Amino acid sequence: MQKQSWGEFLLYLGRIFLLLALLAFLLPKLALIWGGWMSSLDHDDRKPRGNPMRVESSPWSEFAIHIFPDE
């Protein structure tokens, strides 16, 4: 089994520290972006697009064969 030098060990610790620092910096930024994106999707669901005064017809009236015709 080969012995590792102190330099390699410190380099390994440095890489781990750098990774943790990047995660501590980037994770909150990604959470803000994700939260804003999800909030905008939720906001779009509550505010439908189009004319709110338009009367929608029922989907059953679009069939070619009517069992109970509209009178």
Side-chain angles (χ1 to χ4, degrees):
M1 195 167 162
Q2 198 176 36
K3 280 188 161 183
Q4 292 184 349
S5 67
W6 280 102
E8 290 178 19
F9 178 71
L10 291 176
L11 202 61
Y12 178 74
L13 283 180
R15 285 187 289 196
I16 289 176
F17 180 72
L18 182 64
L19 177 65
L20 288 175
L22 283 173
L23 282 176
F25 178 73
L26 291 177
L27 216 51
K29 304 271 186 214
L30 290 175
L32 283 174
I33 292 170
W34 180 264
W37 184 40
M38 287 296 126
S39 172
S40 71
L41 290 177
D42 184 40
H43 186 68
D44 286 345
D45 288 344
R46 283 190 265 143
K47 284 184 102 176
R49 296 182 191 109
N51 187 356
M53 299 301 288
R54 182 176 166 196
V55 177
E56 297 285 333
S57 63
S58 66
W60 297 106
S61 65
E62 296 175 8
F63 287 120
I65 301 172
H66 296 280
I67 297 173
F68 303 108
D70 298 332
E71 294 183 53

